[in-house]
Amino acid sequence: MTATKIAPSFLTADLARLADEVRAVEQAGADYLHLDIMDGHFVPPISFGPIVIEAIRRVTTLPLDIHLMIEHPERQLEAFAQAASATTTILTVHVEACPDLPAVVQQIKDLNCRAGVGLSPDTPISAIESVLDAAGQVLVMGVQPGWGGQALIPATLPKLRDLRALLSERGLATDIEIDGGVKVDNAASCAQAGASVLVAGSVIFNDAAPVADNMAALRNALAAAHANL
Ligand code: DX5
Ligand code: ZN
């Protein structure tokens, strides 16, 4: 089992000090920056768009993991790819927002980005059947999309296991990213169930402890899991 990646999400960060928050997770060993884009339609809240991505890009060299919780992502992909302008950018679209998923995945690849496909909690794994070979990453929501700080929905763990089994059956080592509800006490279970990337929002950015301590706690939980495999 290779090292599980950690992708901090900034919904509960101090956005008035965004550059500092980005540097803090970078110094603490984050693998990607997970950037949650919400349009007020696909999910009720509105977050931020390409101009904020561009600002973040100027203060970090980490890969950007852009999670598009938006309707009609095909209309916005180019703007996000341009704003990120990096060799490693993951653009994740939700299958629920893509009537022609294979076409959108191809569009992402044509923009020289890694294609991610996201599944909301009620969406079955069969919904990504048509892009299983083409996707670089599958994002499995562990909570209803839209808000940070929620509890992991228990059915997520068997879903991760089923997806990992399906990918292995097809001979695919595609990354599985678990997004939402990851805490120190369930991180190991998520990794053992097959997640190779953990999105970590409120577990990293909270009032209880500094970012570096929170990242260390998460890494320690994962190290214990690896030792037990
Ligand atoms: C929710 C977002 C998540 C969220 C994770 O719609 O996609 O990335 O910010 O936050 P936590 O880790 O607090 O559940
Ligand atoms: Zn997300």
Side-chain angles (χ1 to χ4, degrees), residues 142-143 147-153 178-187 190 199 201-202:
V143 300
W147 301 270
Q150 304 177 68
L152 184 72
I153 296 170
I178 162 77
D179 184 12
V182 172
K183 316 281 179 208
V184 171
D185 64 5
N186 63 21
C190 292
V199 175
S202 52

Side-chain angles (χ1 to χ4, degrees), residues 3-110:
T4 309
K5 296 185 183 71
I6 298 180
S9 148
F10 293 81
L11 291 182
T12 60
D14 181 355
L15 295 180
R17 297 175 41 255
L18 186 52
D20 295 338
E21 301 281 59
V22 166
R23 284 190 202 101
V25 292
E26 188 162 9
Q27 274 162 22
D31 295 286
Y32 304 148
L33 301 182
H34 183 85
L35 303 167
D36 287 303
I37 311 302
M38 306 182 182
D39 66 351
H41 293 279
F42 183 78
V43 287
I46 295 177
S47 60
F48 49 84
I51 58 171
V52 175
I53 302 288
E54 210 179 312
I56 291 173
R57 165 53 57 222
R58 285 198 288 271
V59 297
T60 185
T61 54
L62 283 177
L64 303 184
D65 176 31
I66 301 176
H67 180 193
L68 297 168
M69 287 168 275
I70 65 175
E71 300 285 358
H72 296 294
E74 71 284 356
R75 297 178 188 168
Q76 304 292 340
L77 291 171
E78 194 172 348
F80 280 100
Q82 258 174 28
S85 70
T87 43
T88 322
T89 298
I90 305 163
L91 289 177
T92 295
V93 294
H94 266 265
V95 304
E96 304 85 11
C98 297
D100 189 350
L101 188 58
V104 178
V105 164
Q106 189 55 49
Q107 194 187 343
I108 295 172
K109 292 176 140 187
D110 290 344

Side-chain angles (χ1 to χ4, degrees), residues 14 133 160:
D14 181 355
D133 292 320
L160 292 172

Side-chain angles (χ1 to χ4, degrees), residues 205-229:
F205 295 108
N206 56 48
D207 294 334
V211 164
D213 294 1
N214 290 332
M215 279 285 286
L218 207 51
R219 284 267 181 237
N220 288 340
L222 288 169
H226 282 274
N228 288 332
L229 281 173

